[in-house]
């Protein structure tokens, strides 16, 4: 009698854990999935201490320089249209950085010698809206001001 009870609760736990494992695996693949046809691709490179954005669609690259005294960037930014599906291909030029847009839940490491891919959807907001981009991996003296903006165009 005891043996049947033990077998029953063992099987119940095994079934529960198998269910959780299957669900988590599917969910993890779904989270990492890239869109088959994103609105735009942007190649993002972290440098000490600025972000470089390259737009393969027209072959242009911009070094986005942040000025902490005015909280503005010059030279370029990450531009995207409202509702756009943006795939970013992220790497590092010198040391490990991390590309982070806190308001959109975007965070992906920028590692020299490899390219990490991530996709996100730009919120449907008015043109001119800006979202802060911040390096979130300590990368040297000016890490704290290694910022830029996602600018909705
Ligand atoms: Cu950095």
């Amino acid at each position: 009698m005891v043996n049947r009870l033990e077998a029953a609760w063992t099987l119940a736990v095994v079934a529960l854990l198998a269910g959780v494992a299957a669900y988590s695996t599917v969910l993890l693949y779904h989270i990492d999935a890239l869109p088959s046809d994103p609105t735009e691709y942007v190649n993002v490179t972290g440098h000490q201490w600025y972000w470089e954005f390259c737009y393969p669609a027209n072959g242009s690259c911009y070094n986005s320089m942040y000025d902490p005294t005015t909280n503005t960037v010059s030279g370029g930014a990450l531009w995207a249209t409202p509702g756009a599906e943006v795939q970013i291909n992220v790497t590092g030029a010198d040391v490990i950085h991390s590309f982070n847009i806190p308001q959109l839940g975007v965070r992906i490491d920028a590692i020299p010698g490899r390219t990490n891919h991530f996709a996100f959807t730009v919120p449907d907001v008015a043109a001119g809206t800006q979202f802060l981009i911040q390096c979130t991996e300590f990368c040297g003296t000016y890490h704290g001001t290694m910022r830029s903006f996602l600018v909705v165009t």
Side-chain angles (χ1 to χ4, degrees), residues 9-35:
W9 74 49
T10 302
L11 285 175
V13 169
V14 166
L16 182 73
L17 291 178
V20 169
Y23 179 74
S24 304
T25 303
V26 170
L27 195 65
L28 280 171
Y29 275 100
H30 182 72
I31 287 170
D32 285 343
L34 295 169

Side-chain angles (χ1 to χ4, degrees), residues 39-122:
T39 317
E40 76 171 334
Y41 292 94
V42 183
N43 296 329
V44 179
T45 306
H47 298 262
Q48 287 174 311
W49 291 273
Y50 60 92
W51 292 105
E52 176 189 2
F53 301 106
C54 289
Y55 298 83
N58 60 17
S60 58
C61 288
Y62 302 90
N63 291 336
S64 183
M65 310 304 289
Y66 180 75
D67 181 350
T69 60
T70 57
N71 192 34
T72 56
V73 287
S74 58
L78 176 54
W79 295 298
T81 52
E85 243 183 336
V86 179
Q87 180 178 324
I88 50 174
N89 308 309
V90 182
T91 190
D94 33 42
V95 299
I96 298 176
H97 302 273
S98 188
F99 181 85
N100 182 214
I101 309 176
Q103 277 179 285
L104 303 185
V106 174
R107 187 175 179 195
I108 187 94
D109 284 343
I111 300 170
R114 67 171 287 166
T115 303
N116 289 328
H117 308 280
F118 194 82
F120 64 95
T121 303
V122 177

